[in-house]
Amino acid sequence: QKEVEQDPGPLSVPEGAIVSLNCTYSNSAFQYFMWYRQYSRKGPELLMYTYSSGNKEDGRFTAQVDKSSKYISLFIRDSQPSDSATYLCAMSGGSQGNLIFGKGTKLSVKP
Amino acid sequence: GAGVSQSPSNKVTEKGKDVELRCDPISGHTALYWYRQSLGQGLEFLIYFQGNSAPDKSGLPSDRFSAERTGGSVSTLTIQRTQQEDSAVYLCASSREGSGNQPQHFGDGTRLSIL
């Protein structure tokens, strides 16, 4: 079992839809949870950063962490074509913070 | 600088040659990380620097890979005697400190192709 599992998609939705992206993990030591967005031929861009369980909202984006279920989610409201990208979940728990990534979900938002 | 800067953005070289990749982190960030992104493998951790020290080299795939950081700033990743399986995007990230409670910010990577 991989440490972090993420459905690679691809996921295609119409503009304006609510998008739900998810990751599961196996290491209970993970405490910090991140979502990155990556456009083609670009580096990952940090979208959301959360610590432990709970919800965090930033504009159209909401991140949820459920440590009891080892499950994290990213919701995108009112999705736009510009949201079309690969979304990577990442997490860490060690003292030095190197990240463990999911393989990414490729999202396409159709106008 | 405003963000993490990596050079070159693209590198094509012949099998067996040595390559050197450069990362210039965000000013003031003491922690620096190298990752590799390849098709089917996702993003893999290679090495972590806190200041000029590398306490964790566990992700380096072989002894052909080495890295250094000088002046607590610029880092270089060197791959000796390159092999075709080294073809990937090499990404650098930095954070304010390496304790894990600071987010990492990435550069756009070096796309390495070994012929």
Side-chain angles (χ1 to χ4, degrees):
Chain A
Q1 180 188 13
K2 295 190 183 301
E3 276 197 290
V4 180
E5 299 274 6
Q6 183 177 10
D7 187 338
L11 181 62
S12 183
V13 302
E15 184 175 355
I18 296 175
V19 176
S20 173
L21 304 167
N22 312 290
C23 289
T24 59
Y25 63 95
S26 58
N27 189 342
S28 58
F30 289 146
Q31 298 182 70
Y32 302 97
F33 304 90
M34 285 133 274
W35 286 95
Y36 286 86
R37 177 175 63 194
Q38 188 173 26
Y39 293 113
S40 180
R41 304 186 78 86
K42 290 290 190 180
E45 171 194 3
L46 182 67
L47 280 178
M48 301 291 280
Y49 177 81
T50 54
Y51 170 68
S52 196
S53 286
N55 293 359
K56 184 174 182 179
E57 186 174 323
D58 184 1
R60 296 184 296 112
F61 299 91
T62 299
Q64 289 185 349
V65 175
D66 181 349
K67 289 192 70 179
S68 63
S69 301
K70 297 190 179 66
Y71 187 87
I72 70 171
S73 300
L74 178 71
F75 298 95
I76 308 174
R77 290 183 298 280
D78 186 26
S79 56
Q80 303 295 309
S82 59
D83 295 329
S84 298
T86 296
Y87 289 80
L88 299 156
C89 64
M91 45 201 80
S92 69
S95 60
Q96 60 199 28
N98 55 286
L99 299 176
I100 309 299
F101 282 86
K103 290 198 173 181
T105 299
K106 187 168 185 178
L107 171 67
S108 177
V109 181
K110 304 294 187 185
Chain B
V4 177
S5 179
Q6 292 189 246
S7 61
S9 54
N10 291 281
K11 178 72 176 179
V12 181
T13 193
E14 293 179 347
K15 176 183 171 181
K17 300 285 189 183
D18 297 351
V19 295
E20 192 172 277
L21 313 179
R22 176 188 166 103
C23 173
D24 199 342
I26 293 171
S27 179
H29 281 195
T30 63
L32 185 148
Y33 304 81
W34 284 98
Y35 296 87
R36 180 169 71 174
Q37 186 174 33
S38 51
L39 285 174
Q41 295 297 320
L43 265 147
E44 304 170 280
F45 166 74
L46 296 178
I47 189 169
Y48 153 69
F49 286 92
Q50 179 58 48
N52 293 334
S53 300
D56 187 357
K57 304 179 182 179
S58 63
L60 294 178
S62 76
D63 58 7
R64 295 185 295 105
F65 288 72
S66 62
E68 66 174 12
R69 189 179 186 195
T70 55
S73 182
V74 172
S75 176
T76 54
L77 177 68
T78 301
I79 310 173
Q80 295 179 307
R81 305 181 302 282
T82 52
Q83 303 294 312
Q84 288 187 331
E85 62 263 28
D86 300 333
S87 295
V89 178
Y90 289 82
L91 290 158
C92 176
S94 70
S95 64
R96 287 192 185 279
E97 55 185 66
S99 61
N101 64 358
Q102 296 291 327
Q104 294 179 27
H105 300 274
F106 284 80
D108 284 337
T110 293
R111 188 172 299 266
L112 177 64
S113 298
I114 309 299
L115 302 178

